[in-house]
Amino acid sequence: MPVTNAEIAAQLEKIADLLDIEGANQFRIRAYRRAARVVGELPQSVVEMLAGGEALDKLPGIGEDLAGKIAALARGGHLPLLDELERELPAGITALLAIPGLGPKRVATLHETLDIDDVKGLAAAARAGKLRTLPGFGAAIEQKLLRAIDQGAGQAQRTMLPAAEQAVIPLVQVLEQAAGVRQVVVAGSYRRRRETVGDLDIVVAADPAGPVMDRFVHYEDVAEVTLAGTTRSTVVLRNRLQVDVRVVKPESFGAALMYFTGSKDHTVELRRIAIARHLKLNEYGLYSGTRRVAGLTEEELYAKLGLRYIEPELREGHDEIAAAQRGTLPHLVRLADIRGDLHAHTTASDGRASIADMARAAQAKGYGYLAITDHSQRLAVVHGLDAKRLGRQIDEIDRLNATLTGFAILKSIEVDILEDGSLDLPDSILKRLDLVLGAIHSHFELAQDKQTKRLLRAMDNRHLGIIAHPTGRLINRRPGYAIDFEPVMRAAAERGCALELNAQPDRLDLPDVRCRMARDMGVKVAISTDSHSTVELDFMRFGVDQARRGWLEPGDVLNTRSLGELRKLLRRH
Ligand code: DGT
Ligand code: CA
Ligand code: CA
């Protein structure tokens, strides 16, 4: 199994973390982090690039030294630097960095003074009150850490969808090659398109089962076989992801798929409906006595239960079954409905492509428009735009638009919403834009009433058209700001302000339940990629998946509109 880009990126990130704990030079640390990000986002595998004779030091931010290290990792080698760092610091210590409130400095202090190198040790020391007297800590931080640990911080994390996809797609291809295989589908939370998966559940229709089971347990990416059965096996892959495979006869495939797609709450309710109809439902089929009345496809199973077909993204055991009985299921938005992207950065702030390159890439996807939304001046670390630079960007976009047909670059900005709810740029410049996105990038810790008022005040500015990543959550890293969404959504509906569903796979913000709340309250949602490079425009599909989990129809989504319709819908300002 060739080394994946994700594995290389993880090693580079680990070096950066360990160097950070050691207190190494910040430029050096940043170089490793940037390299990790660049490798992680490459559309092509490093192994293939090397095989094709491509030079790695042509990649942005990667010099000769890093290129050599990346090549060594790609060949499956060890880096002496990492070996050395790991000798000096205990293996699990980087897990501490994932706990909110702990940065490299504090982790180093914990290690040096109390010899703490894992979450268990940290929890014990915090409970014993040993942290409050450490330099750079204090009673408040001790309390905060305890709360974070109690909320599960530092525990084994669920895998985000992109990493799950990278691991499972090549595996599915291998299983499909086995003799006797008819169909292979990844079920479970993966098929329901949850933003993270605990493990992967693959359902295979095959007869006989032997060859596909054999391929699976001998797959080259397997680190460990936990269970090897005749129709069911479990392995752990090298990236620590667990995979279950169940093999069923083709006539049971629909029933098995339905069972293992879940969710458990959804299928428990389906079984109850079967019983009420004097039928029995299990993973082999729907039975009347001993006679199988359905099982080949999910469609026939739902039909025999008196239900419309329910899309996997809806099967969470909320009220989708009642809706299927009444015939009121939503017609979910699809990727093909999306006609433009309303959040993208360029080299003017922290993006890596020019306006023209971003526009060309968006047009190549068949879009009709792309909003250029660089950061505003308050975000100095990413060289956010002040009014003067934004003015020049507006002129540049006007010039570019004059050269384009069938496509428009929208003049926009991701303006900071300041602590008091005012916007980081004056109205005199905002009014020249097609669209204004507002976002919170500071003061995450405000109490709920203050944070809510901050957003409400921001919406008082009639230029604000979309609130970007409204909850501020980062999956597996932080929960998001404290906000009361009831008044925020009400105000957004009244003022015609939209909310964003940020499609970055570690954000997916709005989350599904908030999407549904927006729809119910008449707030439009913009599904936007927040792209920092041309390849990130492809993140749109993750946003659409989350929107579908949130019951959104094309009409609920702003960027399913043509440019003309969009302009009418954008908040007048
Ligand atoms: P995950 O892996 O935590 O992201 O979530 P799922 O939904 O993939 O759950 P998992 O892997 O434990 O099980 C896969 C599916 O198998 C689940 O969605 C429904 C079904 N299933 C598992 N255990 C049970 C059970 O005890 N009862 C029922 N009815 N179904 C189950
Ligand atoms: Ca699963
Ligand atoms: Ca499972």
Side-chain angles (χ1 to χ4, degrees):
M1 177 85 187
V3 177
T4 64
N5 288 2
E7 285 173 310
I8 297 170
Q11 300 272 308
L12 295 169
E13 196 69 49
K14 179 142 203 196
I15 291 176
D17 283 345
L18 291 171
L19 285 172
D20 219 349
I21 294 169
E22 285 213 328
N25 176 299
Q26 279 301 317
F27 286 102
R28 190 165 170 225
I29 296 165
R30 228 171 299 151
Y32 279 100
R33 289 214 198 282
R34 190 171 50 219
R37 179 154 187 179
V38 168
V39 170
E41 288 177 355
L42 282 177
Q44 196 191 355
S45 93
V46 169
V47 172
E48 278 168 25
M49 287 176 70
L50 290 170
E54 282 182 65
L56 297 176
D57 55 9
K58 295 286 175 299
L59 296 172
I62 299 201
E64 213 179 304
D65 174 60
L66 269 167
K69 291 195 165 94
I70 293 169
L73 287 170
R75 286 191 297 268
H78 278 257
L79 291 187
L81 169 63
L82 185 54
D83 293 342
E84 189 187 318
L85 285 166
E86 286 183 328
R87 265 197 302 279
E88 288 160 12
L89 290 165
I93 199 162
T94 50
L96 291 176
L97 288 174
I99 295 177
L102 283 188
K105 265 218 181 71
R106 288 198 180 122
V107 170
T109 305
L110 289 170
H111 178 53
E112 284 156 20
T113 57
L114 296 176
D115 213 16
I116 291 171
D117 54 28
D118 59 15
V119 181
K120 227 172 107 191
L122 176 71
R127 290 212 171 81
K130 286 187 190 160
L131 301 186
R132 63 189 71 163
T133 54
L134 291 181
F137 282 75
I141 287 166
E142 185 177 87
Q143 277 311 306
K144 183 179 167 177
L145 290 173
L146 262 179
R147 257 199 317 277
I149 294 165
D150 288 341
Q151 286 166 12
Q155 277 170 13
Q157 288 186 339
R158 297 170 57 85
T159 305
M160 286 187 255
L161 272 183
E165 285 184 352
Q166 260 186 36
V168 80
I169 290 170
L171 170 58
V172 166
Q173 281 165 359
V174 166
L175 298 181
E176 281 170 346
Q177 311 283 307
V181 169
R182 301 272 187 85
Q183 237 183 317
V184 181
V185 176
V186 188
S189 50
Y190 181 91
R191 185 164 179 242
R192 303 198 311 278
R193 303 312 283 166
R194 274 194 65 178
E195 57 266 45
T196 61
V197 301
D199 71 354
L200 291 169
D201 309 275
I202 303 181
V203 182
V204 180
D207 195 6
V212 67
M213 283 282 85
D214 196 53
R215 284 246 176 167
F216 177 50
V217 295
H218 292 109
Y219 179 56
E220 54 187 352
D221 196 23
V222 168
E224 193 181 314
V225 178
T226 319
L227 171 81
T230 50
T231 59
R232 173 177 176 188
S233 297
T234 302
V235 307
V236 179
L237 299 180
R238 286 202 323 225
N239 68 356
R240 306 320 297 168
L241 196 53
Q242 177 178 303
V243 186
D244 290 337
V245 170
R246 277 91 165 185
V247 187
V248 295
K249 296 247 172 5
E251 62 266 28
S252 289
F253 184 68
L257 192 56
M258 180 184 250
Y259 182 88
F260 291 112
T261 296
S263 68
K264 193 174 156 186
D265 289 347
H266 179 82
T267 55
V268 164
E269 201 171 333
L270 290 178
R271 269 203 299 282
R272 250 201 307 269
I273 290 177
I275 290 166
R277 297 182 158 228
H278 306 289
L279 299 168
K280 196 179 97 202
L281 177 66
N282 60 28
E283 59 265 51
Y284 301 103
L286 182 67
Y287 295 87
S288 172
T290 54
R291 189 172 57 91
R292 190 200 328 253
V293 296
L296 184 67
T297 68
E298 287 186 328
E299 283 77 3
E300 62 168 6
L301 285 161
Y302 280 111
K304 286 270 176 0
L305 292 170
L307 302 170
R308 300 283 172 85
Y309 178 76
I310 301 176
E311 303 278 358
E313 295 93 329
L314 297 179
R315 302 184 197 170
E316 291 296 340
H318 298 311
D319 53 351
E320 69 275 9
I321 289 179
Q325 280 169 329
R326 288 195 304 264
T328 57
L329 284 169
H331 298 282
L332 297 179
V333 61
R334 293 163 307 148
L335 185 58
D337 296 321
I338 299 295
R339 298 174 76 167
D341 198 329
L342 297 174
H343 190 159
H345 295 266
T346 74
T347 47
S349 63
D350 55 350
R352 283 185 296 284
S354 66
I355 300 173
D357 286 344
M358 293 299 288
R360 248 191 306 275
Q363 195 168 15
K365 296 183 81 63
Y367 289 165
Y369 47 89
L370 173 74
I372 295 298
T373 59
D374 277 306
H375 287 291
S376 64
Q377 56 195 9
R378 175 60 62 102
L379 275 191
V381 283
V382 299
H383 201 40
L385 276 64
D386 57 19
K388 213 161 124 201
R389 286 179 61 220
L390 181 54
R392 285 202 297 270
Q393 190 182 66
I394 289 171
D395 296 339
E396 188 186 348
I397 292 176
D398 282 339
R399 278 194 302 275
L400 277 169
N401 272 334
T403 70
L404 296 169
T405 44
F407 187 85
I409 306 170
L410 299 179
K411 293 166 282 191
S412 185
I413 186 84
E414 181 181 5
V415 68
D416 258 55
I417 298 174
L418 304 179
E419 186 181 4
D420 64 358
S422 62
L423 303 182
D424 185 31
L425 285 170
D427 289 353
S428 55
I429 189 82
L430 297 182
K431 74 174 185 213
R432 294 183 55 199
L433 298 168
D434 296 304
L435 166 69
V436 175
L437 267 56
I440 288 178
H441 293 118
S442 63
H443 303 283
F444 298 163
E445 309 278 342
L446 289 187
Q448 175 164 304
D449 59 329
K450 285 216 176 90
Q451 201 71 280
T452 304
K453 279 205 191 99
R454 181 185 186 182
L455 278 185
L456 291 174
R457 162 122 198 260
M459 278 190 280
D460 283 343
N461 185 314
R462 66 203 174 89
H463 298 295
L464 185 68
I466 299 176
I467 296 179
H469 44 76
T471 77
R473 75 160 171 179
L474 284 178
I475 294 168
N476 282 346
R477 275 163 57 199
R478 63 162 197 244
Y481 349 108
I483 289 172
D484 183 358
F485 268 95
E486 193 78 39
V488 168
M489 297 238 185
R490 209 174 318 116
E494 279 162 14
R495 295 159 210 213
C497 185
L499 297 184
E500 178 180 87
L501 193 186
N502 190 298
Q504 293 273 323
D506 61 346
R507 284 193 183 272
L508 295 173
D509 179 9
L510 292 176
D512 48 11
V513 290
R514 295 285 177 215
C515 287
R516 188 157 181 204
M517 181 176 177
R519 168 187 153 95
D520 291 344
M521 294 183 70
V523 179
K524 292 274 179 284
V525 174
I527 309 177
S528 308
T529 60
D530 194 357
S531 283
H532 288 70
S533 64
T534 53
V535 287
E536 289 186 8
L537 291 168
D538 288 338
F539 286 160
M540 186 60 80
R541 62 193 182 86
F542 295 110
V544 171
D545 288 342
Q546 188 77 356
R548 291 166 62 85
R549 291 178 51 80
W551 293 53
L552 297 191
E553 303 192 345
D556 303 315
V557 177
L558 209 49
N559 48 320
T560 56
R561 306 303 207 278
S562 68
L563 180 62
E565 293 167 73
L566 175 78
R567 284 199 195 277
K568 277 185 245 157
L569 264 177
L570 286 178
R571 190 173 180 199
R572 293 200 57 81
H573 70 103

